[in-house]
Amino acid sequence: MEENSVLRALRKCCRLICHQKEDRCFRIRGYLFPVCARCTGILISFLTALLFLTLKIHISLTAALILTSVMAADWAVQFLKIKESTNTRRFITGLAGGFGLSYLYYYIIEYLISLF
């Protein structure tokens, strides 16, 4: 399907954060997502974590590290060609990793602010 100018602009903008390999991107009704499955999960979980933080719902630093490690492990296994990941697994580990990363960023920022 032919992309309209808005989708082309979105895809171009998203190149800054994602490799956009077509075989790793979801499609809906023939339209290719502007980011890969893992980045889709990460972006969704960033928004979810922002909502949780706004509601003052926190997870521990340990939990944040574990969630981030799940995504890193899936990436490493695929990168080392031990086992090819699937878009479903990339999306799920992206959700976990993005949520963990969000809280890691929060804890780092909180720590830096406490220094002043």
Side-chain angles (χ1 to χ4, degrees):
M1 291 192 140
E2 176 136 357
E3 289 184 329
N4 65 34
S5 59
V6 174
L7 288 174
R8 273 195 305 275
L10 182 60
R11 179 167 294 291
K12 188 174 183 177
C13 181
C14 289
R15 276 188 211 134
L16 299 171
I17 61 168
C18 182
H19 55 67
Q20 299 177 329
K21 291 182 181 177
E22 284 193 29
D23 63 320
R24 296 184 185 175
C25 294
F26 292 124
R27 288 183 183 271
I28 291 186
R29 296 185 179 173
Y31 290 102
L32 196 64
F33 266 42
V35 292
C36 71
R38 186 171 288 127
C39 289
T40 299
I42 291 169
L43 293 172
I44 289 170
S45 62
F46 277 178
L47 294 174
T48 305
L50 183 60
L51 174 65
F52 277 38
L53 286 165
T54 302
L55 297 172
K56 304 211 183 302
I57 300 170
H58 294 90
I59 63 171
S60 69
L61 179 59
T62 302
L65 288 169
I66 290 169
L67 288 169
T68 305
S69 297
V70 168
M71 180 178 65
D74 181 51
W75 175 86
V77 166
Q78 180 177 310
F79 180 78
L80 296 172
K81 299 187 186 328
I82 296 169
K83 182 174 181 161
E84 183 69 21
S85 190
T86 64
N87 281 350
T88 301
R89 189 165 59 225
R90 288 181 191 111
F91 177 70
I92 292 169
T93 60
L95 285 172
F99 197 74
L101 274 174
S102 297
Y103 278 92
L104 288 178
Y105 295 152
Y106 170 78
Y107 287 124
I108 290 168
I109 291 168
E110 188 178 61
Y111 173 74
L112 293 173
I113 289 172
S114 75
L115 295 177
F116 296 103

